[in-house]
Amino acid sequence: MSETETRDFIRQIIHDDLESGKHAEIVTRFPPEPNGYLHVGHVMSICLNFGVAAETGGRTYLRLDDTNPGKESKEYVDAIKRDVHWLGFDWEDRLTHASDYFGKLYESACRLIEMGCAYVDSLSADEIREYRGTLTEAGRNSPYRNRSVEENLDLFRRMRAGEFGDGEHVLRARIDMSSPNMNMRDPALYRIRHIPHQNAGDEWCIYPMYDFAHGLSDAYEHITHSLCTLEFEDHRPLYDWFLDQLKPEHRPRQIEFSRLNLAYAVTSKRKLNTLVEEGIVSGWDDPRMPTIAGMRRRGYPVAALREFVTRAGVTKKDKLIEMGMLENCIRETLGEQAERRMAVLRPLKVILTNYPENTVEMMSAMNHPARPELGTREMPFSRELWIEQDDFMEEAPRKFFRLRPGGEVRLRFGYIIRCDEVVKNAAGDVVELRCSYDPDTRSGTGSSNRKVKGTIHWVSCEHAVDASVRLYDRLFNEANPNAVDDIHSALNPKSLEVVDGKLEPALMELSAGQAVQFERLGYFCPDEKDDSAGARVINRIVTLRDSWAKLEKQAMQQQNQVV
Ligand code: ATP
Ligand code: MG
């Protein structure tokens, strides 16, 4: 494919603007509001904003859009910075805040008043809503709309000086109360909030509205392309109106693209906050959360996330992307990177009755089947082993190639064993298998080239490392939980299962966040918070196969027809 064919519509615009000489350098910004943790949708916006600048030798600002102090906090600011860095992007000295510009924004508001383009309104919030009209009905002018410039300036200064209580007055743009675009019906520019600001301290008791602050901040930073999601399309006339009135030295251009929505996940900070507040998850970084912090803790590799948003693509059409697509990116990345290890998650004891007691043999195991350069490790083999409960069946169907009474199986990197006796407890559950091994079948060196159909994994009991293994699944059962009124009804009750696993001793060395494949089971890594050398806590990143594939395909077909 040629370069042009792979260029999305935004990269095409940027390419054209550079080629025509409209801009010599591309400047973008990623402008999160620090009112929650970043999620998978933000990964898309981060990769786009930092990506297009990096590709063209341009620059990107990380701008904290902190105009709403009631909902913002330093914790969120720190999390945002960490997440953007973790994704591999660097804002260098371009970390800014809308609050850095509060002084300039205040002056711009005064200028709008002087130009007759803004006024102080003293209607209550309810009245303002009522005067605003509806989509089918024009709004009405506020009785305060024709205040003189002097009166407006005086009131606005006194608002800033703290002379009025919250909600007593607001500063509004004077545009058109009958505009078919509701955003143009004299939108608010400033409101009174007597609360301190996490960055600006208690310097201000009036705060600018997002629409007013955003476009002007873009202008102050000489942003060339202000990339945002489609819900801001109706705000673009207002974005341009501010620029038309105030004529800043630099004029940015707003371009909208569609949000990335992920199936079986919610990507709204408000809904994510509900999950945290109600204790449905353990925090913003719970490994089931589609937050960047959650995905990092789960063990998703950065390369896979970046590949995922590239495949999802930058478009104008809203759509729901399959979770399976994200998981496949993770499988592909880890399939290549992750070393193989053995672990048993639901242990069943096997005793090799003909194997000598107090003997340990070291078996050589390949670290990666396709990458010999990753070498081998030694696995202790002894008389008592753990195997997976699932790998034994008492009444097995014909095609079951694992262990059955009287049947044989190969222990990977070990010997062929035969099941001679099944031991049960009083309740009739199988608690132990008594087996015999064939000493001529040792992997790699065995003198016999006898073959059996099945190969299973195992861990030596004496050498096993105990671990608490968290098996994560999707948080929601519903393909589009965003569309469900009550998200509680869409929760997957089985999104987390914890089992006591047995790990091969080499897994003692694994460091937090380091991913490995447990052969035949999936990809796993130690939890970055709860794991310690003394008590291993392991997260399942993703299974080897997509057990949801069929269900998801059907649900997606229905969903994408309605979206
Ligand atoms: P939420 O609706 O989750 O609260 P938001 O849009 O309010 O998200 P911001 O912090 O304002 O969150 O977003 C910062 C930037 O990320 C904005 O430019 C926004 O357009 C973009 N963004 C937010 N959600 C998505 C998404 N799902 N897909 C792509 N970009 C997104
Ligand atoms: Mg927002």
Side-chain angles (χ1 to χ4, degrees):
M1 232 186 286
S2 80
E3 201 196 319
T4 333
E5 279 169 297
T6 59
R7 216 179 265 148
D8 57 64
F9 78 99
I10 290 180
R11 286 179 166 85
Q12 186 62 46
I13 292 172
I14 284 173
H15 172 86
D16 294 347
D17 286 349
L18 283 170
E19 205 149 79
S20 72
K22 181 175 175 194
H23 298 294
E25 187 190 22
I26 301 304
V27 187
T28 57
R29 85 287 169 269
F30 171 64
E33 188 185 346
N35 62 348
Y37 279 57
L38 300 178
H39 53 62
V40 62
H42 294 112
V43 175
M44 164 123 214
S45 181
I46 294 167
C47 290
L48 178 65
N49 279 293
F50 281 91
V52 295
E55 288 155 26
T56 57
R59 292 175 292 143
T60 305
Y61 285 82
L62 173 61
R63 185 198 310 145
L64 296 157
D65 224 322
D66 52 359
T67 53
N68 199 358
K71 293 191 170 160
E72 296 162 3
S73 77
K74 176 106 177 13
E75 178 196 345
Y76 297 140
V77 171
D78 293 341
I80 288 168
K81 294 194 317 201
R82 179 174 182 204
D83 290 347
V84 174
H85 267 155
W86 179 70
L87 286 173
F89 298 106
D90 189 1
W91 55 83
E92 295 170 351
D93 58 349
R94 290 177 294 279
L95 174 68
T96 57
H97 309 77
S99 55
D100 298 340
Y101 308 125
F102 280 175
K104 276 169 123 171
L105 290 166
Y106 177 78
E107 279 163 29
S108 294
C110 290
R111 273 182 49 221
L112 286 176
I113 294 174
E114 284 159 11
M115 290 156 64
C117 293
Y119 62 98
V120 173
D121 197 352
S122 310
L123 292 179
S124 67
D126 284 342
E127 288 166 327
I128 288 179
R129 206 168 304 124
E130 194 195 314
Y131 273 69
R132 208 164 165 238
T134 63
L135 281 174
T136 52
E137 211 180 301
R140 282 176 295 146
N141 287 345
S142 160
Y144 302 101
R145 199 173 194 258
N146 290 323
R147 276 174 164 154
S148 68
V149 169
E150 290 67 36
E151 189 183 0
N152 280 320
L153 276 179
D154 176 60
L155 283 171
F156 188 48
R157 284 194 192 113
R158 288 165 58 198
M159 279 167 67
R160 187 220 187 301
E163 288 186 27
F164 306 111
D166 289 6
E168 264 187 77
H169 304 286
V170 289
L171 183 72
R172 300 177 71 179
R174 199 160 184 272
I175 309 179
D176 179 3
M177 287 305 291
S178 60
S179 170
N181 182 340
M182 301 289 280
N183 295 305
M184 301 299 273
R185 293 186 185 174
D186 291 9
L189 302 182
Y190 265 93
R191 66 217 185 295
I192 303 173
R193 305 276 331 251
H194 285 271
I195 43 174
H197 187 281
Q198 46 84 20
N199 185 46
D202 49 15
E203 198 187 334
W204 295 87
C205 63
I206 56 171
Y207 293 101
M209 302 301 288
Y210 171 86
D211 280 318
F212 180 59
H214 195 81
L216 291 177
S217 304
D218 284 346
Y220 302 150
E221 291 171 358
H222 290 207
I223 302 300
T224 53
H225 300 82
S226 179
L227 312 176
C228 61
T229 33
L230 277 180
E231 70 270 23
F232 290 103
E233 197 165 21
D234 289 346
H235 297 236
R236 178 154 31 96
L238 181 57
Y239 183 98
D240 287 334
W241 186 88
F242 290 125
L243 300 174
D244 290 340
Q245 309 311 312
L246 291 162
K247 298 188 175 52
E249 160 198 349
H250 175 87
R251 190 180 172 106
R253 171 179 175 192
Q254 175 178 309
I255 304 171
E256 310 85 19
F257 62 96
S258 56
R259 290 178 83 84
L260 182 146
N261 296 308
L262 184 62
Y264 298 98
V266 292
T267 43
S268 134
K269 281 188 267 189
R270 192 177 52 77
K271 288 187 176 152
L272 292 170
N273 193 34
T274 304
L275 296 172
V276 175
E277 292 282 296
E278 293 185 9
I280 294 168
V281 295
S282 66
W284 284 96
D285 64 353
D286 186 298
R288 289 166 293 177
M289 291 281 269
T291 52
I292 299 178
M295 295 190 292
R296 174 174 55 236
R297 188 168 166 198
R298 175 83 168 257
Y300 288 6
V302 169
L305 287 178
R306 291 178 64 160
E307 175 61 21
F308 169 64
V309 298
T310 304
R311 285 188 200 174
V314 179
T315 64
K316 272 273 187 196
K317 190 173 171 295
D318 265 322
K319 57 179 179 293
L320 201 58
I321 309 260
E322 294 171 38
M323 179 73 96
M325 183 164 145
L326 171 58
E327 291 181 346
N328 276 335
C329 290
I330 293 157
R331 288 187 188 102
E332 283 172 32
T333 305
L334 291 179
E336 197 187 315
Q337 287 178 359
E339 291 198 0
R340 276 42 170 176
R341 294 289 183 268
M342 285 209 243
V344 173
L345 298 187
R346 293 180 174 85
L348 171 63
K349 187 173 272 190
V350 164
I351 298 186
L352 301 177
T353 48
N354 61 338
Y355 195 85
E357 303 211 20
N358 304 321
T359 301
V360 179
E361 277 177 278
M362 297 309 281
M363 302 302 188
S364 171
M366 255 183 311
N367 286 332
H368 195 295
R371 297 179 59 192
E373 75 276 15
L374 293 179
T376 58
R377 64 188 188 284
E378 304 268 274
M379 280 185 74
F381 186 92
S382 66
R383 191 168 189 266
E384 299 195 3
L385 308 171
W386 296 115
I387 67 164
E388 211 68 63
Q389 285 169 21
D390 270 4
D391 283 334
F392 172 77
M393 240 180 137
E394 203 169 11
E395 316 268 338
R398 211 162 47 83
K399 293 236 156 150
F400 185 81
F401 296 127
R402 291 164 277 164
L403 205 52
R404 66 171 82 208
E408 285 188 324
V409 78
R410 172 169 283 287
L411 297 176
R412 185 148 164 82
F413 305 125
Y415 296 95
I416 292 176
I417 62 168
R418 190 182 62 232
C419 175
D420 304 317
E421 190 188 339
V422 179
V423 182
K424 294 184 183 174
N425 63 11
D429 305 319
V430 177
V431 290
E432 190 182 294
L433 302 178
R434 302 183 78 85
C435 301
S436 46
Y437 86 113
D438 178 346
D440 287 337
T441 56
R442 181 171 167 162
S443 249
T445 57
S447 52
S448 140
N449 50 13
R450 214 147 68 68
K451 286 217 162 35
V452 289
K453 279 233 161 108
T455 301
I456 63 172
H457 60 273
W458 53 274
V459 170
S460 160
C461 295
E462 186 193 335
H463 305 90
V465 176
D466 288 317
S468 175
V469 183
R470 296 169 175 172
L471 305 176
Y472 294 108
D473 200 349
R474 299 175 184 188
L475 196 49
F476 294 97
N477 271 328
E478 205 57 59
N480 190 0
N482 288 302
V484 176
D485 290 334
D486 176 14
I487 54 169
H488 299 88
S489 66
L491 286 167
N492 174 7
K494 298 196 193 116
S495 62
L496 171 59
E497 185 190 354
V498 183
V499 295
D500 293 321
K502 304 286 183 186
L503 315 182
E504 67 160 283
L507 285 165
M508 202 63 210
E509 313 298 321
L510 208 60
S511 51
Q514 193 188 343
V516 288
Q517 184 191 98
F518 288 174
E519 293 207 22
R520 303 175 64 228
L521 297 173
Y523 296 95
F524 292 78
C525 72
D527 186 76
E528 75 182 16
K529 269 195 179 160
D530 298 335
D531 177 73
S532 69
R536 293 250 89 160
V537 176
I538 307 282
N539 295 334
R540 179 169 72 195
I541 305 169
V542 69
T543 52
L544 287 183
R545 266 174 297 275
D546 187 354
S547 56
W548 289 72
K550 211 164 140 201
L551 201 71
E552 178 160 31
K553 272 248 140 48
Q554 288 164 0
M556 299 300 302
Q557 272 163 3
Q558 284 167 8
Q559 284 292 336
N560 279 327
Q561 274 158 14
V562 267
V563 180

